Amino acid sequence: MGPVLTATISTSAIAHNLKVVRSLCPRQKVLAMIKADGYGHGLINVAKALSEADAFGVARIHEATALDGHTQNLIVLMEGVQSKEELDLACAKGYAMVVHSLDQAMMLKEHPQTLPFWLKLNVGMNRLGMDQAQAILAWELLKDKRHAMIGWMGHLAQADELDLSATNEQTQRFVEWTQAFEGQRTLANSAGVLHWSETHFDWVRPGIMLYGASPIEGTTGVDHGLRPAMELNSTLIAVQHVKKGEAIGYGATFTAANDLRIGVVAAGYGDGYPRHAQTGTPVLVEGEPSRLVARVSMDMLTVDITHIPQATVGSSVTLWGTDLPIEQVAHHAGTISYELYCQLTNRVHHQWID
Ligand SMILES: *Cc1c(COP(=O)(O)O)cnc(C)c1O
C-alpha cells in the first residue's frame, strides 16, 4: 500500500489547461506563472508540463535558479531583483526582470550588463509598479538599455469580480499610459484571460487556471473547460460510532444530533488541509458525497459516513480533485483555491501521472 495521503498531479491536465489559454488567446504569448512551487504543485514538473509556454514567471530569484538545467524557457523575475548581487546573477543566468520602481531602474541603469526587462505600471492595485510620471522617468533612465526592454506590464486588482467597472478603468489607464510608447504589453491574469478579452494585449499571464481552478467566485475550473491538475486523496484510518448528544474532536464544537458513524481521515492542518474548514465542507468517501464534521486537527479530520455503509478502515477519501472542486472546499474554509494549493506541506506525498 502506498502513502496514506497523496497529491496526485496530472501533467496532461496542466498541458490541457495551457491549451485552453491558447484557444482563448490565440494571438498572445503566454507568460505562465509558476511561482510558489508551481502553486504548490511542484516547480520542476510543472515547468516540464508547461514547456510550450513562451516564458515562466516566478517571484524570487531562488525560484528561478531552482529550475537550472530543467527548462530552456525564459524566466521572468516578477518582483525584480533586490540587490546588486541578485542582478549580477540574473544577468549571468539570462533571466528577465520586472522593473517596478525607480530604484530598480537606477540599479539596472548602473549595472555594466543588461537583461530583458518589463517596466511595471501601477494601474490601481497600489502594490508594485510606477505611476505615469515615474514610468516616463524610468524609460528615460534606461535609454541605453532600451534595446533589451520587452515592454509594459500592469496588474489587475479586481478582474475576478465581473460586475465591477474597476477592470475597465484599470485597462483604460494602462492603455493611456502606454499608447505613446513602443513595446509589448501585458495586463491579464487568469481572470483577465477568462473574462476580459480587452486585457489580453500581447502577452497574458495565467496562473491559477493552469492548475485547473477558477479565479472567479461561484465558478469552478470545470465550468471553464479546465481540468483540475491535483487530486488530494487520503484514507480512513478508524471508524467511530458516536451516540446522539456526544461531541467530536477538540473543543467539542460539534455535537451529534443523532447516532452517527464517523470516519477518521488521515489528513489535517499539518498537511495543509485548512483548519478553518467548517462542518459541512464536502469530502468524498469511496466516491460518495460526505461532509467534514467537527474541528480539523493536525493529523486527522472526521467525516460523517452514516449513509455510506461500505465505508470502512482503508476506504479512499478525496479531499479535492476532479469530482470535488477545490473551489468548494476553499469556500467552506473562508479562503481561495490558491491558498489551499500553496499551503500543502511536505508531509504530503506527491505523485505525477501521465
Ligand atoms: C501571480 C500573478 C499572476 C497570475 O495570477 P492568477 O490569478 O493566478 O492567474 C499574474 N500576474 C502577476 C504579476 C502575478 O503575480
Side-chain angles (χ1 to χ4, degrees), residues 17 212-214 219-228 321-325 327:
N17 296 333
S214 168
T219 71
T220 68
V222 174
D223 297 337
H224 301 287
L226 302 167
R227 281 174 52 194
T322 304
D323 299 324
L324 176 51
E327 295 89 342

Side-chain angles (χ1 to χ4, degrees), residues 82 165 200 329:
Q82 312 312 325
S165 57
H200 290 179
V329 179

Side-chain angles (χ1 to χ4, degrees), residues 270-327:
D271 303 294
Y273 190 89
R275 182 173 173 279
H276 290 104
Q278 299 290 317
T279 286
T281 302
V283 172
L284 302 177
V285 180
E286 293 282 353
E288 299 291 330
S290 172
R291 61 182 184 125
L292 175 82
V293 296
R295 256 189 208 160
V296 172
S297 50
M298 188 183 291
D299 312 309
M300 286 168 267
L301 55 83
T302 42
V303 295
D304 182 2
I305 53 169
T306 312
H307 59 294
I308 314 175
Q310 70 275 28
T312 184
V313 171
S315 284
S316 68
V317 177
T318 301
L319 298 165
W320 61 68
T322 304
D323 299 324
L324 176 51
I326 190 169
E327 295 89 342

Side-chain angles (χ1 to χ4, degrees), residues 119-162:
L119 287 185
K120 182 146 185 186
L121 299 167
N122 171 17
V123 294
M125 178 87 144
N126 289 310
R127 198 179 57 178
L128 295 184
M130 296 175 276
D131 65 22
Q132 188 178 24
Q134 290 170 327
I136 292 169
L137 275 175
W139 161 268
E140 293 294 339
L141 275 177
L142 291 167
K143 191 162 61 222
D144 296 341
K145 300 194 167 175
R146 228 177 264 157
H147 59 279
M149 177 167 162
I150 306 170
W152 301 91
M153 181 179 293
H155 192 44
L156 296 167
Q158 290 176 287
D160 55 322
E161 296 174 83
L162 306 184

Side-chain angles (χ1 to χ4, degrees), residues 15 39 87 96 112 242 272 298 329 345:
Y39 286 48
L87 184 50
V242 176
M298 188 183 291
V329 179
T345 69

Side-chain angles (χ1 to χ4, degrees), residues 70-116:
H70 297 286
T71 179
Q72 306 286 327
N73 301 32
L74 179 68
I75 303 174
V76 184
L77 305 173
M78 302 300 289
E79 296 177 1
V81 293
Q82 312 312 325
S83 63
K84 162 88 170 36
E85 291 67 35
E86 285 193 5
L87 184 50
D88 293 343
L89 182 61
C91 289
K93 295 277 189 185
Y95 303 147
M97 76 178 271
V98 170
V99 173
H100 59 77
S101 68
L102 281 172
D103 289 346
Q104 299 238 307
M106 274 309 286
M107 208 196 300
L108 180 55
K109 174 188 164 63
E110 285 167 6
H111 199 276
Q113 291 164 285
T114 194
L115 77 182

Side-chain angles (χ1 to χ4, degrees), residues 180-259:
F181 296 92
E182 284 168 22
Q184 300 174 54
R185 291 186 283 182
T186 177
L187 187 59
N189 52 10
S190 295
V193 167
L194 290 167
H195 279 279
W196 307 89
S197 59
E198 64 277 27
T199 67
H200 290 179
F201 298 102
D202 303 303
W203 286 76
V204 291
R205 307 191 309 271
I208 196 72
M209 69 182 291
L210 295 172
Y211 308 95
S214 168
I216 318 274
E217 176 75 22
T219 71
T220 68
V222 174
D223 297 337
H224 301 287
L226 302 167
R227 281 174 52 194
M230 184 193 289
E231 183 108 14
L232 185 64
N233 292 302
S234 188
T235 313
L236 283 192
I237 59 168
V239 173
Q240 292 286 348
H241 296 271
V242 176
K243 290 262 172 273
K244 176 179 175 177
E246 284 188 45
I248 301 173
Y250 285 120
T253 59
F254 175 84
T255 303
N258 39 275
D259 292 358

